[in-house]
């Protein structure tokens, strides 16, 4: 009902609005948020000790850890999926989750000296496609790996609720939308204020109910300029959003037009962040090859990249490129005749063609970890350049989706923690 009323207020139809408020689920007031909130399921997939420690912290307390499937446990997915769905129903019956009136939430995530702000909103899946060629209003930024969707579908298709780890980006260079809410924060009800487990910093949440501030915020969001038809893009959690889209596509054919308008499965909860937020860090994801002869590999790599004018120069060269690290050596790979605006889009296909020349590849976030690994024998690291915030939306419009593992929104501990939820069944 609220969706139709809001659209009448701002002079459009729901189909033209990519985002809307939601009836958000929060942990009951007596639940310890530090034990409840847990990091995104696709983090620390090679560190079982992280998830074991999370289980110790949550212990016998109500926790979002019992409502998700950490991807480190995909080998035992069927059993865990069944248990996850059972836990969702049990948590609802026991009153561990409370449903807020229609509204949105302002989040303040403290990460060391930085603070990242976001808005918990619902997005219309009719405005999203993971196929960027269709030029939807909400676009994926990285290639969707279809093999990653089925396990997530098996969780969501029988789930009564969703918990998001999706971070969606907007281009509001003047920072008018979020800063206006921050200016009125003293008037808002604080819903939670807690440290986050295992190095996740701290988080606060402020509720914006129906009223003038909510209406003006939604109007500003849904009137952000379109760039090549795009209004928002997915910064993190694209496979979760793709899963929600897959479920909705399979469900909607059996619904009447009226049922489709406000069906809860049509929408997905996300945290919407301004790309210019000072607390939002764009980190490059580096490449490390193992079981490789670095000098011989680089020689073959230059041959594969000859069309782009690739040459190896001194590491201190001012030309844009990729630092190659092996042992104590550092060289810069520069492209004198680039065939693509993105370095990674030239480098990755060439590495893939030469995959018989190395034993394994890993994608590394931290600079120190990259240097540590690349110092080992028969190892070659590629230190990737950072993406520029000013050109990011333009790159998505120009290039479509980026190669996998192109960028990360901060380090693993800085990813979205599961905290809020939403009903997705009638």
């Amino acid at each position: 009902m609220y969706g139709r009323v809001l659209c009448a207020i701002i002079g459009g139809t729901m189909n033209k609005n990519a985002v809307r408020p939601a009836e958000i689920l929060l942990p009951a007031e007596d639940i310890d948020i530090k034990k409840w909130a847990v990091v995104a399921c696709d983090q620390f997939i090679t560190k079982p000790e992280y998830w074991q420690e999370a289980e110790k912290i949550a212990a016998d307390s109500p926790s979002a850890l019992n409502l998700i499937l950490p991807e480190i446990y995909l080998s035992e997915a069927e059993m865990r999926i069944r248990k996850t769905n059972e836990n969702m129903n049990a948590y609802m019956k026991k009153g561990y989750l409370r449903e807020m009136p229609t509204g949105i939430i302002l989040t303040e995530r403290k990460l060391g000296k930085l603070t990242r702000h976001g808005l918990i909103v619902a997005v219309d899946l009719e405005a999203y496609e993971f196929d960027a060629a269709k030029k939807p209003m909400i676009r994926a930024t990285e290639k969707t790996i279809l093999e990653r969707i089925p396990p997530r579908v098996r969780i969501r298709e029988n789930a009564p609720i969703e918990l998001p780890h999706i971070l969606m980006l907007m281009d509001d260079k003047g920072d008018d939308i979020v800063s206006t809410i921050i200016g009125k924060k003293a008037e808002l009800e604080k819903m939670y204020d807690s440290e986050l487990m295992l190095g996740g910093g701290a988080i606060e949440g402020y509720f914006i109910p129906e009223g003038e501030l909510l209406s003006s915020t939604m109007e500003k969001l849904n009137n952000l300029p379109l760039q090549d038809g795009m209004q928002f893009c997915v910064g993190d959690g694209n496979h979760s959003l793709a899963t929600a889209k897959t479920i909705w596509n399979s469900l909607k054919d059996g619904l009447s037009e009226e049922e489709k308008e406000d069906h809860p499965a049509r929408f997905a909860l996300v945290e919407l962040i301004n790309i210019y937020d000072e607390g939002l860090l764009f980190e490059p994801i580096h490449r490390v090859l193992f079981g490789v002869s670095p000098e011989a590999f680089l020689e073959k790599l230059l041959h594969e990249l000859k069309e782009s004018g690739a040459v190896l120069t001194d590491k201190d060269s001012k030309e844009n490129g990729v630092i190659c690290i092996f042992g104590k050596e550092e060289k810069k790979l520069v492209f004198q005749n680039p065939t693509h605006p993105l370095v990674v889009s030239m480098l990755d296909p060439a590495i893939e063609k030469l995959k018989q020349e190395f034993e394994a590849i890993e994608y590394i976030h931290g600079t120190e970890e990259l240097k540590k690994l690349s110092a080992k024998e028969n190892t070659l690291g590629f230190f990737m350049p950072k993406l520029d915030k000013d050109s990011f939306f333009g790159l998505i419009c120009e290039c479509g989706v980026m190669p996998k593992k192109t960028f990360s929104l901060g380090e693993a501990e800085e990813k979205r923690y599961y905290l809020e939820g939403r009903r997705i069944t009638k």
Side-chain angles (χ1 to χ4, degrees):
M1 178 66 183
Y2 182 85
R4 294 184 189 131
V5 173
L6 178 66
C7 293
I9 291 174
I10 66 176
T13 66
M14 190 173 70
N15 291 336
K16 293 181 180 178
N17 290 339
V19 300
R20 61 181 272 168
E23 291 74 42
I24 298 169
L25 295 170
L26 289 176
E29 292 185 41
D30 60 345
I31 289 177
D32 185 344
I33 296 296
K34 189 172 182 179
K35 295 183 177 182
W36 172 271
V38 64
V39 79
C41 65
D42 55 353
Q43 300 304 305
F44 300 105
I45 59 174
T46 61
K47 293 185 177 181
E49 63 273 15
Y50 178 93
W51 293 101
Q52 290 163 5
E53 185 62 25
E55 289 173 358
K56 289 179 183 178
I57 293 170
D60 295 326
S61 301
S63 175
L65 182 58
N66 299 318
L67 307 179
I68 67 165
L69 173 62
E71 291 193 0
I72 195 171
Y73 300 127
L74 281 178
S75 61
E76 49 192 81
E78 293 308 318
M79 177 189 69
R80 285 184 173 265
I81 288 171
R82 184 168 59 252
K83 186 62 176 175
T84 294
N85 290 150
E86 290 173 359
N87 288 338
M88 287 180 178
N89 286 303
Y91 275 28
M92 296 292 285
K93 289 179 180 179
K94 292 179 180 179
Y96 292 162
L97 290 160
R98 53 184 170 134
E99 189 168 56
M100 301 297 297
T102 299
I104 63 176
I105 291 177
L106 168 71
T107 65
E108 282 194 352
R109 177 78 177 275
K110 293 178 174 59
L111 305 160
K113 296 180 180 179
L114 299 176
T115 300
R116 186 177 75 205
H117 294 91
L119 299 175
I120 306 298
V121 299
V123 298
D124 188 348
L125 294 169
E126 287 293 299
Y128 163 76
E129 296 282 353
F130 47 85
D131 180 1
K134 296 181 180 180
K135 296 193 173 183
M137 292 176 70
I138 302 173
R139 296 187 196 173
T141 52
E142 294 185 320
K143 183 178 180 180
T144 303
I145 303 170
L146 299 179
E147 295 79 13
R148 293 182 62 186
I149 295 178
R152 297 168 184 253
V153 167
R154 292 200 296 277
I155 294 176
R156 192 178 177 95
E157 65 187 354
N158 295 311
I161 63 174
E162 65 170 355
L163 286 85
H165 76 261
I166 301 160
L167 297 178
M168 201 166 75
L169 303 175
M170 62 177 166
D171 189 348
D172 181 22
K173 193 164 188 177
D175 192 28
D176 173 51
I177 299 173
V178 174
S179 64
T180 297
I181 299 175
I182 293 173
K184 298 184 178 182
K185 193 173 66 174
E187 305 170 19
L188 303 175
E189 182 181 3
K190 183 185 285 189
M191 305 310 301
Y192 48 77
D193 182 353
S194 176
E195 291 185 4
L196 295 170
M197 67 167 71
L198 297 173
I203 192 165
E204 297 177 13
Y206 298 83
F207 184 64
I208 299 100
E210 288 184 284
E212 182 179 344
L213 181 58
L214 179 62
S215 296
S216 63
T217 299
M218 299 312 297
E219 182 173 6
K220 289 176 183 178
L221 288 173
N222 283 305
N223 281 290
L224 283 169
L226 297 178
Q227 301 182 42
D228 188 39
M230 177 178 66
Q231 197 167 46
F232 306 102
C233 63
V234 184
D236 202 11
N238 180 64
H239 288 88
S240 290
L241 200 58
T243 298
K245 177 72 171 183
T246 301
I247 293 288
W248 171 240
N249 282 346
S250 67
L251 179 65
K252 67 181 181 180
D253 289 342
L255 302 176
S256 67
E257 291 304 314
E258 185 176 1
E259 288 173 325
K260 291 177 185 178
E261 283 292 301
D262 280 315
H263 196 285
R266 173 173 172 163
F267 305 92
L269 205 62
V270 306
E271 181 175 357
L272 180 58
I273 303 175
N274 183 11
I275 195 170
Y276 294 101
D277 188 286
E278 291 182 357
L280 182 68
L281 301 179
F282 266 45
E283 299 291 347
I285 300 180
H286 312 300
R287 279 85 171 118
V288 180
L289 307 184
F290 299 94
V292 65
S293 172
E295 294 90 344
F297 183 87
L298 287 172
E299 185 177 341
K300 292 180 180 181
L301 186 65
L302 290 176
H303 178 75
E304 291 293 336
L305 294 168
K306 60 183 179 181
E307 186 180 351
S308 60
V311 295
L312 281 177
T313 66
D314 185 83
K315 70 172 184 176
D316 296 321
S317 167
K318 294 183 179 180
E319 295 180 88
N320 292 328
V322 178
I323 300 291
C324 306
I325 308 173
F326 49 101
K328 296 181 179 180
E329 292 287 328
E330 291 188 22
K331 298 287 186 180
K332 180 176 279 188
L333 177 67
V334 301
F335 301 88
Q336 298 177 327
N337 183 34
T339 55
H340 196 280
L342 282 172
V343 166
V344 67
S345 292
M346 293 182 283
L347 180 64
D348 274 9
I351 291 177
E352 175 65 20
K353 285 184 180 180
L354 296 171
K355 60 184 178 182
Q356 72 279 2
E357 302 293 331
F358 57 90
E359 294 176 3
I361 181 171
E362 280 194 21
Y363 300 92
I364 306 297
H365 288 80
T367 300
E368 293 307 313
E369 180 70 7
L370 173 73
K371 290 182 177 179
K372 180 180 176 181
L373 291 173
S374 302
K376 296 180 180 180
E377 189 176 359
N378 297 326
T379 307
L380 172 61
F382 294 94
F383 187 90
M384 304 301 291
K386 281 190 175 184
L387 291 174
D388 177 53
K389 288 185 176 184
D390 281 325
S391 60
F392 185 79
F393 268 65
L395 279 172
I396 299 300
C397 294
E398 180 182 358
C399 306
V401 295
M402 298 179 180
K404 68 176 183 178
K405 304 292 186 182
T406 298
F407 70 95
S408 173
L409 300 184
E411 302 291 345
E413 293 87 352
E414 299 164 356
K415 298 294 185 177
R416 169 87 184 148
Y417 271 58
Y418 299 102
L419 203 164
E420 307 86 359
R422 188 182 68 90
R423 294 179 188 267
I424 56 175
T425 56
K426 284 284 190 181

